[in-house]
Amino acid sequence: MSGKLSGKTALITGASAGIGWASALALTGEGANLVVTARRQERLAELEAAVQSAGGKAVSLLGDAKEEDLARRAVDLAVQTFGSLDILVNNVGIGNYKNIVETSAEEYDAMMDTNMRSTFLFTRYAVPVMITQGSGTILMISSMAGVYGFGGEAVYCATKFAQVGFAQALDKELRPHGIKVGAICPGGVKTEFALGKGRTEESVAASGMLDPDDVAGVVLMACTQSPRSRIIEVQMRTMDEALT
């Protein structure tokens, strides 16, 4: 541990597994205090224990990231417990891989609310704290589906393009306040999320997808960059990708 984030506080949504879990451990490894949210209490408890075993500090909040009250309480908890909120990782998300004619309005709402509404809400409540501090880093865990359109994933792509556009606009809006905003866009990652709906555990396990730690490494890089620079967007693809 080099302590690059010593004294800093990070809030991570969807932290109970996958990229969120790996990012939590990566940031605590550099000394960050953590506030983590998810919908599974037992997994949050396990994450807190893992952070403490690594010598870090973490507090958790159980709830659904698309609910405004959770965003408000999570930001308040960060400030009340650790005195600041320096990093927000908007990680929570769901996938539903279907053709458009097979996608219901309810499925559209679920994806848009989980992937984009949560991003808006947590950012909305984090920004005033960061403006007062005169600094902060906000990251959206988007996807290569937020850079390119993929057949059979139109609604999912729409939610991920929305996150990228949100980040680009906020980069201009918040940079004068010393706040860095960026989007991390990985290809497929071997997580529970990768299953979404329409994939199988076997197909994901057999794939050459990225590992959660690969993405967590980029999250850490974005959070420890020079004060004079900012990471606007990172696109990540597996080395196993076909060359055609």
Side-chain angles (χ1 to χ4, degrees), residues 20 23 42 58 81 95 101 112 114-115 126 142 145 148 150 178 207 213 243:
S23 296
E42 70 282 1
T81 305
V101 296
M112 189 60 76
T114 301
N115 297 353
S142 183
Y148 302 104
F150 294 95
S207 74
D213 287 343
L243 296 177

Side-chain angles (χ1 to χ4, degrees), residues 22-240:
S23 296
L25 295 181
L27 296 183
T28 200
E30 287 296 337
N33 300 314
L34 298 180
V35 177
V36 292
T37 74
R39 293 184 295 179
R40 294 181 289 181
Q41 183 64 63
E42 70 282 1
R43 291 290 290 167
L44 286 174
E46 291 172 12
L47 178 57
E48 285 189 65
V51 168
Q52 291 166 5
S53 294
K57 298 178 180 178
V59 294
S60 65
L61 271 180
L62 181 69
D64 192 325
K66 68 177 180 288
E67 299 299 331
E68 185 171 8
D69 186 58
L70 181 66
R72 182 189 299 110
R73 290 190 295 121
V75 170
D76 288 346
L77 182 62
V79 175
Q80 292 166 7
T81 305
F82 299 117
S84 68
L85 177 55
D86 306 285
I87 297 163
L88 170 62
V89 182
N90 285 303
N91 167 71
V92 70
I94 59 171
N96 194 337
Y97 312 110
K98 290 183 175 182
N99 292 333
I100 190 66
V101 296
E102 298 167 345
T103 304
S104 68
E106 290 77 16
E107 289 169 329
Y108 170 90
D109 288 341
M111 269 192 284
M112 189 60 76
D113 284 351
T114 301
N115 297 353
M116 187 58 221
R117 176 182 165 87
S118 68
T119 297
F120 162 73
L121 288 172
F122 277 81
T123 303
R124 166 66 184 82
Y125 284 99
V127 163
V129 176
M130 293 180 176
I131 288 177
T132 298
Q133 294 172 172
S135 64
T137 298
I138 300 172
L139 300 176
M140 323 302 172
I141 306 301
S142 183
S143 169
M144 290 303 295
V147 180
Y148 302 104
F150 294 95
E153 301 182 18
V155 175
Y156 176 66
C157 288
T159 69
K160 291 299 177 178
F161 267 83
Q163 285 184 306
V164 170
F166 190 64
Q168 289 177 0
L170 288 181
D171 168 64
K172 295 178 174 61
E173 179 178 330
L174 299 178
R175 200 175 348 131
H177 299 284
I179 300 170
K180 303 177 182 183
V181 184
I184 298 175
C185 301
V189 184
K190 291 182 179 179
T191 66
E192 295 173 19
F193 169 82
L195 294 174
K197 295 182 180 179
R199 292 175 177 165
T200 66
E201 291 185 13
E202 292 76 16
S203 67
V204 170
S207 74
M209 289 182 177
L210 299 165
D211 288 320
D213 287 343
D214 297 328
V215 185
V218 176
V219 170
L220 180 59
M221 177 181 68
C223 294
T224 56
Q225 63 189 295
S226 163
R228 299 181 304 279
S229 67
R230 72 195 199 279
I231 290 175
I232 302 170
E233 182 180 304
V234 176
Q235 297 181 17
M236 302 179 65
R237 299 301 293 260
T238 174
M239 291 292 284
D240 285 354

